[in-house]
Amino acid sequence: MRLLLFEGPAGSGKTTCLVHRVRLQLEDHPLDRDQRVLALTRIHGSRRRIEACLQTQDGGIGHRFDSFTVDAFAWRLTRRWRSLVEVKFGMALTDELSWNENSVLAGRLLEDPLVASWVAATYPVVAVDEMQDSKGGQLEVIKGLAEVTECIAAADGFQDLSGDGENQAVAWAHEAGTVRELRTIHRTDVRGILDAANAIRTRVGVTNGVGFEVKAAFSHNMAAGLLARWLTFWSRGKETDIAILTPTAKPP
């Protein structure tokens, strides 16, 4: 298992460290002519972001990579090995398979030495951003890749908005690989915002602070109207950076 995870809160530089480590890996072990880096994320927004980071001239790797969502890569893998799926698992691929079912199947395919060696020969380095979003079959694909490639990932279990407890991907990485924790926030130095973010992560009460103010509204419609007025007041006709935090569900 060759897995390195950069773990830390938003703004701690996880993706930057991920891309930097990929670049160092390629400097130590250059790609052959027909090899590429495989970049994976769970959703398209983060896929586009890591594409931009990998393509940068300062710190990136140029264009020697392919980027997919985990679901899309799993779909390509099962279609590439369609005949083996039919022989090995006794089933024909159909469009009725869900994305998760297809990803589970791809994870099982990666257990086959022939498939694993083909993937490793094509993509010796795999970069996984926002890994906390990958669950079920998607995580099985990443596990399979980590067995045969140099897998470098970034994740923050706290940012798993669909989770209700321990994040599967992060828990697995702690057991199976090497974890480097990032604690310094580079995105802002406003003390009130940093204190509020820490309070939210540690599940304590959030209070007003320097550069941060708590506002409440009786409904989302009222909140939208108040927010529009506050944005006008805060910006005061000039360009300024404003961050807004809002609950994703009603409190229990």
Side-chain angles (χ1 to χ4, degrees):
M1 179 71 68
R2 292 172 291 174
L3 171 66
L4 172 62
L5 172 68
F6 292 100
E7 181 184 11
S12 60
K14 297 185 295 299
T15 303
T16 299
C17 290
L18 166 65
V19 172
H20 179 67
R21 185 65 187 87
V22 169
R23 182 164 184 164
L24 292 180
Q25 178 68 25
L26 298 188
E27 291 176 356
D28 294 338
H29 305 280
L31 297 173
D32 292 338
R33 184 177 62 179
D34 297 326
Q35 291 180 327
R36 297 174 69 82
V37 171
L38 176 62
L40 297 176
T41 65
R42 180 64 179 84
I43 57 179
H44 287 290
S46 52
R47 178 185 60 79
R48 288 190 289 268
R49 183 181 65 172
I50 196 172
E51 280 182 354
C53 292
L54 287 169
Q55 289 173 356
T56 57
Q57 296 298 319
D58 183 18
I61 63 172
H63 296 276
R64 297 200 64 182
F65 69 90
D66 293 327
S67 66
F68 306 102
T69 62
V70 183
D71 288 330
F73 174 75
W75 188 91
R76 288 170 176 263
L77 187 66
T78 56
R79 269 56 186 178
R80 168 64 177 78
W81 295 91
R82 178 188 297 269
S83 296
L84 182 60
V85 169
E86 295 177 355
V87 172
K88 192 177 183 68
F89 305 122
M91 60 177 293
L93 289 177
T94 69
D95 292 336
E96 295 178 359
L97 284 178
S98 68
W99 284 108
N100 185 66
E101 290 171 334
N102 191 77
S103 294
V104 170
L105 185 59
R108 294 178 63 191
L109 267 178
L110 285 168
E111 296 173 358
D112 186 282
L114 180 62
V115 178
S117 62
W118 176 81
V119 172
T122 306
Y123 299 115
V125 179
V126 176
V128 186
D129 201 14
E130 305 291 354
M131 192 174 71
Q132 75 276 351
D133 294 328
S134 294
K135 300 179 175 66
Q138 293 82 23
L139 182 55
E140 293 305 312
V141 170
I142 295 172
K143 288 180 178 180
L145 292 170
E147 291 288 346
V148 294
T149 69
E150 195 71 31
C151 188
I152 306 166
D156 177 19
F158 185 80
Q159 295 184 59
D160 175 14
L161 298 182
S162 64
D164 55 2
E166 184 179 50
N167 182 265
Q168 298 175 6
V170 173
W172 163 71
H174 275 265
E175 293 179 357
T178 300
V179 178
R180 295 184 182 176
E181 295 188 5
L182 307 175
R183 296 303 177 197
T184 302
I185 306 300
H186 305 284
R187 190 167 296 169
T188 182
D189 58 1
V190 178
R191 189 70 260 164
I193 295 177
L194 294 175
D195 290 342
N198 183 65
I200 293 172
R201 292 181 69 91
T202 55
R203 299 178 183 276
V204 299
V206 180
T207 58
N208 293 339
V210 178
F212 183 86
E213 186 175 2
V214 178
K215 295 286 189 180
F218 288 105
S219 69
H220 61 274
N221 291 325
M222 182 180 292
L226 293 174
L227 181 59
R229 296 207 316 247
W230 290 327
L231 287 173
T232 302
F233 173 75
W234 288 328
S235 61
R236 296 174 186 174
K238 59 183 179 181
E239 292 187 4
T240 185
D241 293 328
I242 298 173
I244 301 169
L245 304 179
T246 179
T248 58
K250 294 182 179 180

